[in-house]
Amino acid sequence: PCGACDSCDAGTSREVAEDRVRVGQPVVHTEWGPGTVSLVEAGRVTVLFAARGYVTLDADVALDSGVLQAEPLSA
């Protein structure tokens, strides 16, 4: 939480668990298709989609709702 936004004021801001998504990880969005995580910040994730470009999403909402599905990282 940043302490300076609406979500923090409402008490709804949470940090993204780093084990959920990582930079470089492939993901699939229900509308925009496949993409690659380019940035992980507290509460949000930025993904590069071939058909859409860079999109910043609320990580908890996108991942918990199933709109964004993270694919396993290859070892």
Side-chain angles (χ1 to χ4, degrees), residues 18-26 36-40 45 73:
E18 283 191 25
D19 61 343
R20 295 187 76 182
V21 289
R22 295 209 168 113
V23 172
Q25 185 170 11
T36 303
V37 175
S38 60
L39 182 64
V40 177
V45 60
L73 286 170

Side-chain angles (χ1 to χ4, degrees), residues 48-61:
L48 175 58
F49 296 100
R52 178 79 180 189
Y54 287 97
V55 177
T56 300
L57 304 164
D58 181 298
D60 289 327
V61 171

